[in-house]
Amino acid sequence: MTDGEIIGALQRGRADGADCLWLGGGEPTLRKDIFRIAAMGRRLGYTRVKLQTNGMMLSYPGYALRCADAGISEVAFSMKGAVATTHDRIARTEGCFDLMVAGVERARETGLALEGDLFITASNAAELPAMVSLGVAWGMRSFRVWLLSGVDATRDDPEVRAEVPRMRDVVPRLVAAMKAHAHLGADFLMSLHTPACVLPEAQHGALFDAAAFGMRVVNPGGHAFDLADSPMEGGTFLPGCAACRHRPRCNGLRPDYLARHGAEEFQPVP
Ligand code: SF4
């Protein structure tokens, strides 16, 4: 994004009442001006500035301190596995798990709040509970679970389609992780792509309400949209959904998921 696009987006966000700035990507730490952007956000009045990152840059001495000095209040680490072999394979970068671990350590020493963004595929779903346990041991107290989507330009890539995880493989792992760390609260983990009809009632603290979340996404070129309107978050409803009691707060289903795995897992809740 250009300087002008960034300044315009930050100003519009504040004018619309936003007070939390989320710097994501791609990989935002690839920008040399990331500290200047974070500081600009704080000057404009954002009270929280979150950096969503693979964590590799944070492994360098002084980087976490520069984050804190720029006003970044929390760091969300993108975790792709509970062990280096899985994480590095999915990230396609050898050694990046170890760098992330070093980055977590430096961020924690600096006093930045730590969060986990768990990126779940068909081939790492079994590691989900271990990923949460690892993050908790590192000091993370808040997690978001993102299921791989084939909605974007890669939708015709058979490799991506094969890795779209199935709800019935993910949900038991989600439940196990939430039960294992129930002391963190009913909503310490947010699962972005699992509708209420596939989650046991006891785990509904993990439900994600995209509209209530109120996030505006701004991309390079200045293109902006509300997260709730993104096909990444769902948007497709089945004929039976009209009778479901969760319909008013449901984000719907992702079209790429339905194309890959069908609709039989989704039964309306009377
Ligand atoms: S509205 Fe449809 S997708 Fe949403 S919880 Fe109900 S049955 Fe599931």
Side-chain angles (χ1 to χ4, degrees), residues 17-39:
D19 57 10
C20 179
L21 174 62
W22 187 331
L23 302 170
E27 177 50 50
T29 62
L30 292 176
R31 290 191 71 114
K32 291 193 167 41
D33 59 354
I34 191 69
F35 304 116
R36 187 172 63 84
I37 295 168

Side-chain angles (χ1 to χ4, degrees), residues 16-90:
D16 290 343
D19 57 10
C20 179
L21 174 62
W22 187 331
L23 302 170
E27 177 50 50
T29 62
L30 292 176
R31 290 191 71 114
K32 291 193 167 41
D33 59 354
I34 191 69
F35 304 116
R36 187 172 63 84
I37 295 168
M40 196 190 308
R42 289 303 284 247
R43 276 198 304 279
L44 284 169
Y46 289 91
T47 54
R48 291 172 57 196
V49 179
K50 187 195 306 278
L51 180 68
Q52 186 183 41
T53 175
N54 60 29
M56 295 167 73
M57 287 298 286
L58 281 138
S59 68
Y60 288 95
Y63 197 93
L65 198 55
R66 291 184 73 190
C67 287
D69 288 346
I72 289 170
S73 49
E74 49 218 87
V75 182
F77 289 85
S78 302
M79 298 172 67
K80 299 177 179 67
V83 292
T85 45
T86 308
H87 181 92
D88 291 1
R89 172 179 59 78
I90 294 175

Side-chain angles (χ1 to χ4, degrees), residues 195-198 236-238 240-248 250-253 266-269:
C197 56
V198 300
T236 302
F237 291 92
L238 306 170
C241 289
C244 176
R245 71 180 162 95
H246 296 295
R247 175 64 182 83
C250 182
N251 303 323
L253 304 163
F266 310 107
Q267 300 299 326
V269 183

